[in-house]
């Protein structure tokens, strides 16, 4: 099994700063973020990740919604039981079939919440937290990348093979 270590991201600091400034009239500003960024961030991290190209399943009705009477009163974290079935990234690429229970962790900053789509194909960087695998999504992206057209997997495989691994902001 291939795993990648993880550190606290620069994005997390930017999100925390945005949250401290968030008010009714402010907007969330995000840095472009894609699969190569996820790979690079995970590979330099001190936490462990497994990477899967697969279909994410969960109860979409459990996604948080900002209350209309106070949009800033959204829970900061929502944990949703999910599963991911697909192929695990190994030294040779996405090869080993897996069916994994995961926790989809949705982060909200005031009225801005991450999202995910049930039944969508993702390349997911799953953080290992003890026996639990967690897919963290935040309002600026997170560690799950839509892979309906296969491009996210191709980007990750290029990084994994030591070829071009270009962050989105540099494209």
């Amino acid at each position: 099994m291939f795993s990648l270590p993880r550190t606290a991201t620069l994005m997390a600091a930017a999100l925390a700063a945005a949250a401290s400034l968030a008010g009714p009239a402010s907007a969330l500003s995000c840095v472009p973020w894609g699969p190569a960024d996820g790979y690079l961030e995970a590979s330099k991290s001190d936490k462990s990740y497994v990477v899967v190209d697969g279909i994410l399943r969960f109860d979409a009705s459990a996604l948080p919604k900002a209350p209309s009477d106070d949009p800033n009163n959204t829970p900061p974290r929502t944990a949703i039981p999910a599963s991911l079935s697909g192929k695990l990234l190994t030294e040779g690429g996405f090869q080993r079939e897996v069916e994994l229970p995961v926790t989809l962790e949705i982060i909200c900053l005031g009225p801005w919440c991450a999202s995910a789509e049930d039944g969508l194909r993702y390349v997911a960087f799953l953080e290992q937290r003890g026996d639990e695998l967690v897919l963290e999504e935040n309002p600026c992206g997170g560690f799950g990348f839509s892979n309906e057209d296969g491009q996210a997997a191709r980007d990750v495989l290029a990084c994994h093979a030591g070829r071009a691994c270009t962050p989105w902001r540099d494209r």
Side-chain angles (χ1 to χ4, degrees), residues 8-58:
T9 67
L10 293 175
M11 183 184 282
L15 291 173
S20 69
L21 299 173
S26 63
L28 183 63
S29 179
C30 299
V31 174
W33 177 258
D37 300 278
Y39 187 92
L40 293 168
E41 190 62 39
S43 68
K44 70 180 181 181
S45 167
D46 63 352
K47 295 187 179 177
S48 294
Y49 282 89
V50 294
V51 185
V52 176
D53 175 6
I55 305 296
L56 182 66
R57 299 275 183 207
F58 65 97

Side-chain angles (χ1 to χ4, degrees), residues 34-118:
D37 300 278
Y39 187 92
L40 293 168
E41 190 62 39
S43 68
K44 70 180 181 181
S45 167
D46 63 352
K47 295 187 179 177
S48 294
Y49 282 89
V50 294
V51 185
V52 176
D53 175 6
I55 305 296
L56 182 66
R57 299 275 183 207
F58 65 97
D59 177 4
S61 70
L63 289 168
K65 295 168 188 62
S68 58
D69 62 334
D70 184 2
N72 287 313
N73 194 21
T74 308
R77 294 184 181 273
T78 301
I80 302 170
S83 67
L84 190 61
S85 57
K87 294 189 177 186
L88 181 71
L89 183 63
T90 66
E91 288 189 24
F94 288 107
Q95 295 181 326
R96 191 170 133 219
E97 292 284 337
V98 293
E99 173 75 31
L100 300 171
V102 300
T103 298
L104 176 60
E105 186 175 67
I106 301 293
I107 307 297
C108 295
L109 298 172
W112 300 286
C113 291
S115 191
E117 191 172 325
D118 176 51

